[in-house]
Amino acid sequence: MIPGPHPVGRSPAAESYRRNPKERNKRVSAYVEIPRPYESAPGRFTVDLVFPTASKRRAKQHHDVAWALADVHGVEASTPFALNPRWSYYKEMCGSDERYGGPDERRLTVQGGARAVARYLVALERVLDEVEALATRAVRAFGAWKRSVAGEPFLEYEDASTMRVRSREFRADVLRALVQGLDARTRPVGERDSSRPLWEQYGAVAEEVRAAAGGVDLERADEEAMTAQEARMVPAAVAEAERLVRAEAARLEEQRLEEEREELFRQVDAACAQEADEADAERCALDGQGALFAVSEARPALVVPPPRPVKPRRAPRERVPVAARFPDGTTHVAISREQVEHFNPGIAAAMWPKVNPERRRYVPAA
């Protein structure tokens, strides 16, 4: 029996990627490192994927998932060549089995358009998480089989260490079967054979967990995540475009305000001119000189003054703390007359009354 449905969610590394902005340039999930794609040609982007899993066999399976997903999303994938650091010319002459190098199955280079690469990267993160979650569900089914009555005849000569090895190998075999069946839309679910141990029937268990989860959708990609990935691919161009849009919006707003100000000046000038013309016409009619002078013939043209500059605000004055002005042990503080007159003129007048100039000469010198 297969345990209850296990939510196929995102890995903890993916959640850390969303919470920590410093991780966005390096890592997306626990199974693949996605650096920032770079534009290798006009309109064409390249990204070098790295599969950091400790197990080389597991990293190759992740590599196979990324390779199969490239054909689905219409991007080009290639495996880089890696040199063997243990190879040397003398080892080759001596007939050693060390090879010069070969395809590096821990890396994958993907090329394509911006939208296609963004969709591929978003789908790759989700598919790897779902495939690993299915393999974990298969291991849980294996654990349930070990604790059941059906597994007792096959566990008589097995101990804890051998069962740990069998569980690890069973998970690797199930993951390989899931990777090999990614491109298959529908596959028949085989039945288990009670006469054989479950670690020999990893294919049937893989199909069971795949059918229970409803399969793995290779094409689905979140639009919001794709948009964020595209912005991450070309951050400089996006920032420059946003800056130009903000500058254009500010220019248009300033132009609109200037036009409104000029229109208000014209309306006020027209109202004042109409009022003056009516007063002149009435006065000239009373004087009998209406035909001698043309109304508003020599009126000057409207001149709109420039907008007044905005006066910058003065920075607040920094206040000196009392402890700095009066250190410990201060008993007498000398205050000048100018300070007293500045803060309280009334007290200053009482403290220093005006002395008659005639009497000043009789005042003893201080």
Side-chain angles (χ1 to χ4, degrees), residues 2 14 21 26 30 38 54 67 74 76-77 91 146 169 172 203 224 250 268 294 300 331 337 350 357 360:
I2 298 177
K26 178 184 177 184
Y38 56 92
W67 184 279
E76 299 178 7
K91 289 184 178 180
K146 289 191 301 183
E169 293 296 325
E224 182 178 356
V268 171
T331 57
R337 179 174 179 175
R360 185 180 298 275

Side-chain angles (χ1 to χ4, degrees), residues 169-250:
E169 293 296 325
F170 178 77
R171 191 186 194 283
D173 295 337
V174 169
L175 185 60
R176 185 179 70 253
L178 291 172
V179 171
Q180 292 175 355
L182 277 180
D183 54 349
R185 301 297 180 179
T186 57
R187 297 173 63 93
V189 180
E191 297 181 358
R192 299 185 187 180
D193 187 1
S194 59
S195 62
R196 299 169 54 198
L198 194 62
W199 57 75
E200 296 179 359
Q201 307 179 56
Y202 55 86
V205 179
E207 297 306 325
E208 288 180 7
V209 295
R210 188 203 306 272
V216 180
D217 189 0
L218 303 181
E219 299 180 358
R220 179 170 57 87
D222 187 14
E223 293 293 335
E224 182 178 356
M226 290 172 54
T227 304
Q229 181 64 37
E230 282 188 313
R232 176 174 172 261
M233 291 167 62
V234 283
V238 172
E240 181 65 17
E242 292 179 354
R243 187 190 66 80
L244 294 177
V245 168
R246 289 194 299 267
E248 182 66 16

Side-chain angles (χ1 to χ4, degrees), residues 8-30 121-127 129 220 222 224-226 228-229 232:
V8 181
R10 302 190 182 277
S11 62
E15 297 297 333
S16 174
Y17 161 77
R18 294 182 182 86
R19 291 192 296 266
N20 188 3
K22 295 182 180 179
E23 292 291 329
R24 296 179 184 174
N25 294 337
K26 178 184 177 184
R27 193 161 187 152
V28 172
S29 69
L121 295 179
V122 173
L124 175 63
E125 175 190 358
R126 178 186 55 81
V127 170
D129 291 342
R220 179 170 57 87
D222 187 14
E224 182 178 356
M226 290 172 54
Q229 181 64 37
R232 176 174 172 261

Side-chain angles (χ1 to χ4, degrees), residues 49-57 59-60 63 79 103-108:
L49 305 178
V50 180
F51 305 98
T53 310
S55 174
K56 185 178 181 181
R57 176 175 54 180
K60 182 182 183 305
H63 175 277
T79 304
D104 188 359
E105 296 178 345
R106 286 188 174 273
R107 295 187 299 160
L108 185 68

Side-chain angles (χ1 to χ4, degrees), residues 245-278:
V245 168
R246 289 194 299 267
E248 182 66 16
R251 187 187 66 80
L252 294 177
E253 181 67 16
E254 183 179 359
Q255 182 179 358
R256 184 185 63 83
L257 293 177
E258 183 65 20
E259 293 176 355
E260 291 182 358
R261 193 174 67 87
E262 293 180 359
E263 182 63 25
L264 289 176
F265 268 94
R266 292 191 186 94
Q267 293 178 3
V268 171
D269 182 74
C272 294
Q274 183 179 2
E275 184 178 355
D277 291 345
E278 293 176 355

Side-chain angles (χ1 to χ4, degrees), residues 182 233 279 286 336 355:
L182 277 180
M233 291 167 62
L286 294 176
S336 63
V355 181

Side-chain angles (χ1 to χ4, degrees), residues 1 3 139-152 155 163:
M1 297 296 292
V139 173
R140 292 180 179 179
F142 183 76
W145 174 81
K146 289 191 301 183
R147 295 185 295 269
S148 64
V149 179
E152 290 182 358
L155 304 179
M163 290 308 300

